Amino acid sequence: MIPGPTHRMGVEPFFAELVDGLEEVLHPAGFAVLVLLVDDPDAELAAYRRWSADDEVAAAVVVDLVEDDPRPGALAGLGLPFVLAAHVDSPWACTSEVADDAVRVGAALDHLVALGHRRLGHVCGPRRLVHTGERTTTVAEHARRRGLVVATVETDYSAAAGVRAVDALLARREPPTAVLFDNDVMAVAALEHLRARGVDVPGEVSLLAVDDSPLCELSVPPTTAMSLDVHHRGERLGRAVLSVLAGGDARMPAGPPSTVVVRGTTAPARERVGV
């Protein structure tokens, strides 16, 4: 189940790769993967009730958890097996599916600080999301500990939002010398927009995406990002589903640690003279 704007499935490579990994594990076990896009929580909960009543679905995979999320409780009450694709403390959470966001964001900030960046922009997703909260908290903690100046802009993960966010950040009286984006789509859209405006990336401003993808590899210049094997995550989610269906829990061994994939959009900091 993928909640939120239905355009995300078509734009973000993340979901297509995740589903592909799920299918690789579940198809040989005799299961098909159904992807349902929903625009609001009520529609998602209604689908769970229908699936439970009709025995249409063996198990549900829940993504994009929010604070005080009602979905785990609703699924448990319905008796529909489920797996949470989230880094939370729960027997239904495939914690290895989503790496520790605090560690990943901390490594991204380490890279930027090592390059001399002290004024940073952070373009995050919706704050209600659990993983967004973990990332923004980590950014704030690093800023306090290291004496960094960080400006955070909340978005909906879309390309257009990434463009608006980078424009707003660079229009500040003291603009950031580097910008950290919560996903690949926003980072690459911002990069293309800045290059069209004649802004030197990374000469005037460095860009780094927390989530890597083929978009980052194919951008011009290629975008520096935190490594991310989404297909492998989908496979671990699939194994978690099979475990839950067999009466076990969703916990899976942790995947490989995420590292900075240095490409062409990060460089040592230098003062910008204006855009």
Side-chain angles (χ1 to χ4, degrees), residues 18-54:
L18 191 70
V19 171
D20 190 54
L22 273 165
E23 290 177 331
E24 188 160 319
V25 171
L26 294 178
H27 276 181
F31 295 100
V33 177
L34 168 68
V35 178
L36 180 63
L37 305 179
V38 293
D39 283 321
D40 63 77
D42 289 340
E44 183 170 355
L45 292 174
Y48 293 148
R49 289 192 292 270
R50 184 177 68 252
W51 292 348
S52 175
D54 297 343

Side-chain angles (χ1 to χ4, degrees), residues 192-201 204 275:
E192 293 176 351
H193 172 69
L194 293 179
R195 291 186 68 244
R197 290 183 54 184
V199 178
D200 181 4
V201 178
E204 294 181 71
V275 180

Side-chain angles (χ1 to χ4, degrees), residues 224-236:
T224 298
M226 297 302 299
S227 63
L228 184 65
D229 189 342
V230 180
H231 184 90
H232 189 42
R233 288 185 174 190
E235 292 176 337
R236 292 201 300 276

Side-chain angles (χ1 to χ4, degrees), residues 55-147:
D55 291 326
E56 296 179 24
V57 173
V61 175
V62 183
V63 302
D64 283 354
L65 259 68
V66 299
E67 297 294 337
D68 299 319
D69 201 311
R71 293 175 293 174
L75 285 162
L78 291 169
L80 181 63
F82 64 96
V83 170
L84 306 176
H87 191 268
V88 294
D89 184 16
S90 166
W92 296 284
C94 181
T95 56
S96 66
E97 190 277 338
V98 176
D100 188 334
D101 280 284
V103 173
R104 299 182 70 234
V105 170
L109 292 172
D110 287 343
H111 175 67
L112 295 176
V113 170
L115 292 173
H117 295 283
R118 295 294 182 272
R119 291 198 313 274
L120 307 176
H122 176 213
V123 183
C124 70
R127 291 180 187 268
R128 69 182 185 279
L129 296 175
V130 170
H131 69 268
T132 297
E134 189 171 2
R135 292 178 181 188
T136 54
T137 296
T138 299
V139 170
E141 290 174 349
H142 275 254
R144 286 193 297 270
R145 186 168 68 251
R146 298 179 169 193

Side-chain angles (χ1 to χ4, degrees), residues 141-208:
E141 290 174 349
H142 275 254
R144 286 193 297 270
R145 186 168 68 251
R146 298 179 169 193
L148 308 176
V149 176
V150 179
T152 298
V153 179
E154 181 178 359
T155 71
D156 63 1
Y157 282 130
S158 68
V163 169
R164 290 192 298 269
V166 80
D167 276 346
L169 288 168
L170 296 188
R172 295 170 64 90
R173 178 177 298 179
E174 293 189 3
T177 60
V179 181
L180 181 68
F181 292 85
D182 264 12
N183 76 349
D184 52 340
V185 172
M186 294 191 296
V188 172
L191 170 62
E192 293 176 351
H193 172 69
L194 293 179
R195 291 186 68 244
R197 290 183 54 184
V199 178
D200 181 4
V201 178
E204 294 181 71
V205 61
S206 289
L207 307 181
L208 192 155

